[in-house]
Amino acid sequence: CTMVNKSHNASIRTTLIILTIAAITLITILSSGVQLYMEYRKGIKNVESNLKFISDSYISPLIDSLWDFDERNVRLQLRGILKLPGITFCSITYEQSALGEAIEEGDPGIKKDLTRQYALTLNSRPLGSLHVWVSFDHIKSELIGKSVILLAGYGCVVLICGLIILFLTNYILFRHFSTISNYAEKMDINRLEDPLELSRSARNDELQQIVVAINDMRMRIQSGIIEKHTIQKELEYNHNVLKAQQETSREGILIVDESGRIVSRNQRFNDIWQFDKKSAGTSDDEQLIQHVLSQLKDPDGFRSRIKYLYENRDERSEDMIYFKNGKLVERRSGPIYGDDKRYFGRVWYFRDVTQQVEAEASLRESEEKYRHLFNMESDAIFLIENDTGRIIDANEAAVKVYGYSHK
């Protein structure tokens, strides 16, 4: 019987919690990734909106300021552009150096992720170009902050969900699993009267089906044990009856299985074949056969007859066995079949008929002597039945004298 280590009792519970947390975490990561991507796309759209806003709101004032050679106003407008999210640097270069060098605002050393150039023209006359540098660092910073918040929030959700699942699974399932496990460990063939019961309200669910199945199995085992005990008692009774019949029989009885191995033999069999206590207890078939063959006048015929009967299972046999010492044994044999026609082996019966045959021979000899003397007597002799007076026999002299016939 294989026992489960107690340290592994919570493996299913632990596996369920780990898989649940892993699934929730995976969903969290995917949903967070989708949400952050959407935020990133939203940030890019905001940058595009700001660039369009520059085109719509700042280009015309800048052209007017350039036409009026108003550098102060140009710089004010450039600084206004820098206040837009993501704009890190902007400059105006001239086609003609009306205001001198290029006008720049912002930090040109900051990494730029996007540049945009706007042509500054008045009545098809080019005045210069507006260059705008855009950095996505503000988008990345916002995404990092939001990701930390999202992960922290989802982490709390995962923890809370895990605790809820742990509580629910323990309350609904695992505490009952422990009850079932303890019941199964304590189940014994001598303690099958107590049914399995769970401390919960009655309901027809999968857990209840397990309880019903275990209780049904318990009842079947109990019934099987009772039936087994009954069968064992019947077998024991039949065995004792058969053994008594064998031991009280005047015949030697030998039973062999389908392979020819000795299954049973009675004491009369041992007496007929002169087996001592040591030989009677051996299971060596060849040793027993050699002991038997050594006593026979025709050992080859004896062995060939046995071989023939083992090869022809349905055959029945009845013959005489002649011993070297003059003993005469009658042998009978037949197959053993079950109700399902299954072959179980063969039974042999041996009866010592030496005295019977000798007595019959002596009786025949006495009858022959009596008949000779009866017929040789010269006087007429009749044998008459006392009750009826009927003549049952007469010698030759009586037949001749009175003219009777033996009929």
Side-chain angles (χ1 to χ4, degrees), residues 313-314 336-344:
R313 292 180 171 180
D314 295 333
I336 302 174
Y337 284 101
D339 294 336
D340 56 353
K341 305 302 181 181
R342 176 187 170 188
Y343 178 76
F344 287 98

Side-chain angles (χ1 to χ4, degrees), residues 121-126:
T121 60
L122 181 62
N123 299 325
S124 302
R125 179 182 178 183

Side-chain angles (χ1 to χ4, degrees), residues 8-194:
H8 299 298
N9 284 348
S11 60
I12 297 179
R13 180 187 299 134
T14 303
T15 302
L16 179 61
I17 294 299
I18 291 175
L19 292 177
T20 303
I21 292 177
I24 296 176
T25 302
L26 179 61
I27 295 173
T28 299
I29 293 174
L30 292 176
S31 60
S32 298
V34 172
Q35 188 170 352
L36 291 175
Y37 176 75
M38 298 301 294
E39 291 292 333
Y40 174 77
R41 295 298 304 169
K42 181 179 178 181
I44 297 298
K45 288 182 179 180
N46 289 336
V47 170
E48 295 290 341
S49 297
N50 291 335
L51 294 176
K52 188 175 184 303
F53 178 75
I54 292 172
S55 176
D56 295 340
S57 303
Y58 283 91
I59 297 301
S60 181
L62 283 173
I63 291 173
D64 293 339
S65 298
L66 288 175
W67 181 256
D68 295 335
F69 301 104
D70 189 351
E71 182 178 354
R72 179 177 175 274
N73 195 27
V74 170
R75 288 188 178 276
L76 287 175
Q77 294 182 52
L78 291 180
R79 290 168 187 167
I81 293 173
L82 285 175
K83 292 180 180 180
L84 295 174
I87 307 300
T88 59
F89 177 77
C90 57
S91 65
I92 294 178
T93 57
Y94 304 101
E95 295 295 332
Q96 296 177 356
S97 301
L99 295 178
E101 298 293 334
I103 301 174
E104 298 178 349
E105 290 292 337
D107 186 359
I110 298 177
K111 177 185 175 183
K112 59 183 178 180
D113 297 305
L114 179 65
T115 61
R116 187 64 58 86
Q117 180 178 340
Y118 302 91
L120 303 176
T121 60
L122 181 62
N123 299 325
S124 302
R125 179 182 178 183
L127 300 179
S129 299
L130 172 63
H131 299 273
V132 179
W133 293 5
V134 181
S135 174
F136 295 158
D137 289 344
H138 70 293
I139 299 177
K140 297 176 182 177
S141 299
E142 291 178 0
L143 292 178
I144 292 174
K146 289 183 179 180
S147 64
V148 172
I149 296 174
L150 286 173
L151 291 177
Y154 282 127
C156 293
V157 172
V158 170
L159 179 60
I160 294 172
C161 290
L163 293 176
I164 293 174
I165 292 173
L166 176 62
F167 172 76
L168 292 178
T169 53
N170 184 70
Y171 180 77
I172 297 174
L173 291 177
F174 293 114
R175 68 188 182 102
H176 299 305
F177 285 168
S178 298
T179 301
I180 294 173
S181 175
N182 293 332
Y183 179 85
E185 287 182 1
K186 295 178 181 178
M187 183 180 289
D188 186 79
I189 59 174
N190 298 319
R191 297 177 57 187
L192 294 174
E193 294 80 10
D194 299 331

Side-chain angles (χ1 to χ4, degrees), residues 242-309:
L242 179 61
K243 185 176 181 181
Q245 290 176 341
Q246 288 182 349
E247 294 302 328
T248 57
S249 174
R250 295 181 179 181
E251 296 180 322
I253 301 175
L254 174 68
I255 300 175
V256 297
D257 62 15
E258 65 272 15
S259 300
R261 294 188 296 268
I262 296 175
V263 175
S264 175
R265 54 182 172 172
N266 63 355
Q267 183 59 41
R268 182 57 180 159
F269 174 84
N270 295 330
D271 295 339
I272 291 175
W273 293 100
Q274 298 179 357
F275 286 112
D276 54 24
K277 291 184 178 180
K278 181 178 179 180
S279 299
T282 184
S283 58
D284 188 347
D285 293 349
E286 186 62 29
Q287 179 180 347
L288 297 178
I289 291 176
Q290 292 300 325
H291 175 78
V292 169
L293 295 178
S294 64
Q295 304 178 55
L296 304 180
K297 288 184 177 180
D298 184 15
D300 293 335
F302 182 87
R303 183 187 287 272
S304 63
R305 185 59 179 170
I306 292 177
K307 181 179 179 181
Y308 172 80
L309 292 176

Side-chain angles (χ1 to χ4, degrees), residues 314-328:
D314 295 333
E315 288 286 336
R316 296 179 178 273
S317 174
E318 184 173 349
D319 59 355
M320 303 296 290
I321 302 174
Y322 297 91
F323 283 63
K324 293 178 180 179
N325 60 3
K327 183 165 62 176
L328 188 62

